[in-house]
Amino acid sequence: MPKTTRRADGHPGNRYGNRPTMKDVAARAGVGLKTVSRVVNGEPGVTPDTERRVQEAIDALGFRRNDSARVLRKGRTASIGLVLEDLADPFYGPLSRAVEEVARSHGALLINGSSAEDPDRERELALALCARRVDGLVVIPAGDDHRYLEPEIRAGVATVFVDRPAGRIDADVVLSDNFGGARDGVAHLIAHGHRRIGFIGDMPRIHTAAERLRGYRAAMEDAGIPVEDRWMSLGVTSPERVRRAAQEMLTGPEPVTAVFAGNNRVTVTVVRVLAEQSRQVALVGFDDFELADLLRPGVTVVAQDSAALGRTAAERLFRRLDGGPVTPERIELPTRLIARGSGELPPAR
Amino acid sequence: MPKTTRRADGHPGNRYGNRPTMKDVAARAGVGLKTVSRVVNGEPGVTPDTERRVQEAIDALGFRRNDSARVLRKGRTASIGLVLEDLADPFYGPLSRAVEEVARSHGALLINGSSAEDPDRERELALALCARRVDGLVVIPAGDDHRYLEPEIRAGVATVFVDRPAGRIDADVVLSDNFGGARDGVAHLIAHGHRRIGFIGDMPRIHTAAERLRGYRAAMEDAGIPVEDRWMSLGVTSPERVRRAAQEMLTGPEPVTAVFAGNNRVTVTVVRVLAEQSRQVALVGFDDFELADLLRPGVTVVAQDSAALGRTAAERLFRRLDGGPVTPERIELPTRLIARGSGELPPAR
DNA sequence: CGCGCACCTGACAACGTTGTCCAGGCTCTA
DNA sequence: TAGAGCCTGGACAACGTTGTCAGGTGCGCG
């Protein structure tokens, strides 16, 4: 009995409504399958006349090569994955864009997803990307145990961590000098006469937050200032809690005269709180943000270059893909203190 | 002669260093290929004991299903593509994030790329995504001719345009009420006594820019105010040109007393210019931006909900994928005027 | 005129997975 | 105890592409 249909087995058909394949193009152009493949891929060895016929068939049928099949055959996908925390956070926009630019310059596409700071979701996403057989992975860690990536890395998925180091595995990482930046920022406040300086930051289980806290402590210690517990507020993330934390350290018998904000979200909230205060309080924030210069006073910040972080990581990833270094490395990018006014206010009262 | 190698033909090997396949797992577990497939996909019909053996083999080998092969067989990729203008632009962050959330809730991954406002690049990207056989496409148009997508759409790629309508094809589109929003914003200025009102916007070839300009003209006409050419500056994008345009309309014998800014980048630059002026000039901007309330005066804006745009578009896309509507539709989302001070200033001088 | 050579072209297998279908073993009932 | 039915497991083909290799054609040169 002859085959009556192209779908002799139960193949569910194709949700794209039976797109034309190279076989169809070949049939229409009256050439062999492989010749179509050659034309599509611009390989040499095809007469201009044949090429024209094939091209016409391609246009007539609206053929588009199926990259899934191609990947299956070739083993590389020309795509890299990016797992980040939140695309809507302005800090990650430029980073993501930078990674994309580098990928583009290497002819690769970018697939990305947000972990929403949830370790399980990070893991799920990263593994889904590996199942897609991305050539490489840029990860902004949410969790602190990345052993789940070991088989993948061993299997050849180039992996680079950004912004925070990987947990419990040895891998490339690109980060800002969080410790040094925070220390410089706090030292800047001390240099302007402050001694009672508050610190509001994220949970210390997050590497960046811990490093910045360490920088704060180091600067205070260098200046011989004992730190009091009520000056520090750790693990606050929601605007409401930041607000309350700030208000608390600004009241009482010996209120702080300056605040160091551990990240841009904290900074913004603190700016709001300070705007409601009658006396002037100095402020230095970690992370730059748009319009910081337009506020009165302008907000002094320790700026990190998120685009440079992304670019550096992606470049390292592709160097690895091109057969580059095999020893995992830790790359630290410097931060920059930008004085705009708020960090130069003298202690009030 | 027996086969001596798994790579009898010239298959280039695999950049992932010969990852284990289901065949390898099957061999190690001492079961058939299909049984492994069943375990991996959680299909019924496998004894607990067999399942355990297979699972052990999977863990021991670090096996991960190859989705390329799966896609090739099944015809769906469970991924959608997003072509936007610039990931680093804060307007697109929430939009992108919203699309991702919807995709995630449907078990799909998001692949995205930036067109950088370049029609060729938009086309190139969209077609690359189609070659990957994404199930659907969300496009923020950079160009004004999308006929190149016709074969794809016909082939079943669910496509929804966002923020700007598609050019020369009939397709779903989700956008903000740019015309109404701009008209309301300008009317707001008029209601506060302004008559000489400037407009600074993007190139009118961009749909949103044209609509907002139309809204400006409509509001002026409704109020019976003839618009003078020197009040309008179109097609300016770089901060320098925006700056010059603003300065020009603010000088001379009859300077404008208020400015309507056509998008958030323009607004920010205009804020800077106004801060340098001695007299007060009213300002309403299209698009909200972070910290707009913290400036003095707060910046009055016509806000559009970029997350809602993304969510609406993605939901429509998946409804289409689930066999939903076939008639292309145009969905318009309302804007909201947020008064913060800058738009309520009376005309100066 | 014939041989060799260069160049085009196409048949075929393989990439890793999943749908179909059948074989074999088991249980349950008459 | 035999037959019917059910359940588990595996062989096989097919998805659409690309690498290899061999066949065929036309040309130039001896």
Side-chain angles (χ1 to χ4, degrees):
Chain A
M1 186 173 63
K3 238 194 303 187
T4 53
T5 158
R6 267 178 68 196
R7 295 273 145 66
D9 81 337
H11 192 286
N14 179 321
R15 292 299 293 248
Y16 314 112
N18 266 326
R19 295 191 74 126
T21 70
M22 285 192 177
K23 200 166 153 189
D24 301 324
V25 174
R28 177 166 183 129
V31 302
L33 183 54
K34 181 63 198 191
T35 301
V36 176
S37 172
R38 274 194 267 262
V39 171
V40 169
N41 294 298
E43 288 170 24
V46 181
T47 352
D49 180 58
T50 310
E51 174 163 357
R52 192 185 42 73
R53 283 216 319 285
V54 171
Q55 197 59 56
E56 280 173 11
I58 288 176
D59 294 340
L61 295 174
F63 166 81
R64 186 98 42 216
R65 179 178 64 197
N66 184 332
D67 271 352
S68 294
R70 173 166 226 253
V71 162
L72 179 58
R73 192 64 175 83
K74 302 200 72 136
R76 286 194 84 162
T77 54
S79 59
I80 67 173
L82 171 62
V83 180
L84 39 69
E85 195 241 300
D86 182 1
L87 255 178
D89 184 325
F91 176 74
Y92 296 109
L95 194 157
S96 175
R97 177 63 193 278
V99 172
E100 186 196 350
E101 281 307 322
V102 176
R104 183 177 140 79
S105 77
H106 287 258
L109 272 183
L110 180 65
I111 310 184
N112 60 15
S114 306
S115 67
E117 204 69 89
D118 173 352
D120 290 336
R121 194 157 153 186
E122 172 211 301
R123 182 189 140 105
E124 183 193 316
L125 248 170
L127 291 181
L129 292 169
C130 288
R132 292 296 163 98
R133 293 295 188 267
V134 291
D135 296 333
L137 216 43
V138 175
V139 180
I140 296 169
D144 51 7
D145 185 351
H146 296 90
R147 282 175 298 178
Y148 71 88
L149 277 174
E150 266 178 346
E152 313 300 326
I153 293 174
R154 227 183 1 253
V157 181
T159 305
V160 181
F161 291 81
V162 185
D163 192 40
R164 310 166 189 172
R168 315 188 68 168
I169 63 170
D170 195 23
D172 279 326
V173 53
V174 179
L175 22 71
S176 287
D177 180 11
N178 292 289
F179 169 75
R183 193 191 47 201
D184 293 352
V186 174
H188 183 77
L189 289 168
I190 295 172
H192 282 82
H194 296 273
R195 292 185 62 83
R196 297 198 306 276
I197 302 174
F199 177 94
I200 305 181
D202 223 324
M203 291 157 293
R205 76 165 178 79
I206 298 178
H207 176 263
T208 49
E211 283 294 289
R212 292 171 195 176
L213 175 60
R214 203 164 63 83
Y216 164 80
R217 286 184 181 283
M220 296 297 267
E221 191 175 336
D222 288 351
I225 308 173
V227 175
E228 300 197 13
D229 280 350
R230 66 195 168 82
W231 297 348
M232 291 184 300
S233 180
L234 311 178
V236 298
T237 48
S238 69
E240 297 72 34
R241 294 195 51 196
V242 171
R243 170 171 288 274
R244 207 168 50 227
Q247 282 165 343
E248 271 170 24
M249 58 181 70
L250 286 170
T251 53
E254 289 211 315
V256 299
T257 63
V259 174
F260 186 84
N263 65 49
N264 52 5
R265 283 173 311 222
V266 171
T267 307
V268 171
T269 305
V270 171
V271 167
R272 288 180 205 280
V273 173
L274 296 190
E276 299 158 4
Q277 299 287 312
S278 51
R279 84 198 141 96
Q280 288 205 316
V281 177
L283 169 68
V284 172
F286 206 109
D287 281 352
D288 199 5
F289 56 96
E290 210 182 16
L291 304 189
D293 60 318
L294 272 186
L295 300 176
R296 289 290 162 258
V299 179
T300 296
V301 299
V302 176
Q304 48 180 338
D305 188 343
S306 70
L309 282 174
R311 197 181 328 113
T312 307
E315 277 165 0
R316 181 147 183 98
L317 190 153
F318 280 102
R319 209 170 312 134
R320 208 170 249 278
L321 278 180
D322 294 341
V326 285
T327 318
E329 209 172 305
R330 176 197 182 92
I331 302 175
E332 208 159 83
L333 268 49
T335 57
R336 197 163 50 96
L337 186 94
I338 305 178
R340 294 200 179 104
S342 76
E344 294 74 46
L345 295 173
R349 193 181 297 181
Chain B
M1 188 174 62
K3 237 193 304 187
T4 54
T5 159
R6 268 178 67 194
R7 295 272 145 67
D9 82 337
H11 192 284
N14 179 321
R15 292 298 295 248
Y16 313 111
N18 265 328
R19 295 191 76 128
T21 70
M22 286 192 177
K23 200 167 155 187
D24 301 324
V25 174
R28 177 166 183 130
V31 301
L33 183 54
K34 180 62 197 189
T35 302
V36 177
S37 172
R38 275 194 266 263
V39 171
V40 169
N41 294 298
E43 289 170 25
V46 181
T47 0
D49 181 59
T50 309
E51 173 163 357
R52 192 185 42 71
R53 284 217 318 285
V54 171
Q55 197 58 57
E56 278 173 15
I58 288 176
D59 294 341
L61 295 174
F63 167 81
R64 186 100 40 215
R65 179 179 63 198
N66 184 332
D67 272 353
S68 294
R70 171 168 229 255
V71 162
L72 179 58
R73 192 64 175 82
K74 302 200 72 137
R76 286 194 84 163
T77 54
S79 59
I80 66 173
L82 171 62
V83 180
L84 39 69
E85 195 242 299
D86 182 0
L87 255 179
D89 184 324
F91 175 73
Y92 296 109
L95 194 157
S96 176
R97 177 64 192 277
V99 172
E100 186 195 350
E101 281 308 323
V102 176
R104 182 177 141 78
S105 77
H106 287 258
L109 273 183
L110 180 66
I111 311 183
N112 60 14
S114 306
S115 68
E117 204 69 88
D118 173 352
D120 290 336
R121 195 157 152 186
E122 172 211 299
R123 183 189 139 104
E124 184 192 315
L125 249 169
L127 291 181
L129 292 170
C130 289
R132 291 298 165 96
R133 293 295 187 269
V134 291
D135 297 331
L137 216 44
V138 175
V139 181
I140 296 169
D144 51 7
D145 184 351
H146 296 90
R147 281 174 299 177
Y148 70 88
L149 277 175
E150 268 180 344
E152 312 300 329
I153 293 174
R154 229 184 358 253
V157 181
T159 306
V160 181
F161 292 81
V162 186
D163 192 39
R164 309 167 190 172
R168 314 187 69 169
I169 64 170
D170 194 23
D172 278 326
V173 53
V174 179
L175 22 71
S176 287
D177 179 10
N178 291 288
F179 168 76
R183 193 191 47 199
D184 294 352
V186 175
H188 184 77
L189 289 168
I190 295 172
H192 280 83
H194 296 272
R195 292 186 60 83
R196 297 197 307 274
I197 302 173
F199 177 94
I200 304 180
D202 222 324
M203 291 158 293
R205 76 165 178 81
I206 298 178
H207 177 263
T208 49
E211 283 293 290
R212 292 170 195 176
L213 174 60
R214 203 163 65 81
Y216 163 80
R217 286 183 181 283
M220 296 296 268
E221 191 176 334
D222 287 351
I225 308 173
V227 174
E228 300 196 13
D229 280 351
R230 65 194 167 82
W231 297 348
M232 292 184 300
S233 180
L234 310 177
V236 297
T237 48
S238 70
E240 297 73 34
R241 294 196 51 196
V242 171
R243 171 172 287 274
R244 208 168 51 228
Q247 283 164 341
E248 270 170 25
M249 58 181 71
L250 286 169
T251 52
E254 290 210 313
V256 299
T257 63
V259 175
F260 186 84
N263 65 49
N264 53 5
R265 285 174 310 223
V266 171
T267 306
V268 170
T269 305
V270 171
V271 167
R272 289 181 206 280
V273 173
L274 296 189
E276 299 158 4
Q277 299 286 312
S278 51
R279 85 197 141 97
Q280 287 206 318
V281 176
L283 169 67
V284 172
F286 207 110
D287 281 351
D288 199 5
F289 56 95
E290 211 182 16
L291 304 190
D293 61 317
L294 272 186
L295 300 176
R296 289 288 163 259
V299 179
T300 296
V301 299
V302 176
Q304 48 179 337
D305 188 342
S306 70
L309 282 175
R311 197 180 329 113
T312 308
E315 277 166 1
R316 180 144 184 99
L317 190 154
F318 280 103
R319 209 168 314 136
R320 209 170 249 279
L321 278 180
D322 294 340
V326 285
T327 319
E329 210 172 304
R330 175 198 183 92
I331 302 175
E332 207 159 85
L333 267 49
T335 56
R336 196 163 50 96
L337 185 93
I338 305 177
R340 294 200 179 104
S342 76
E344 295 73 45
L345 295 173
R349 190 180 295 181

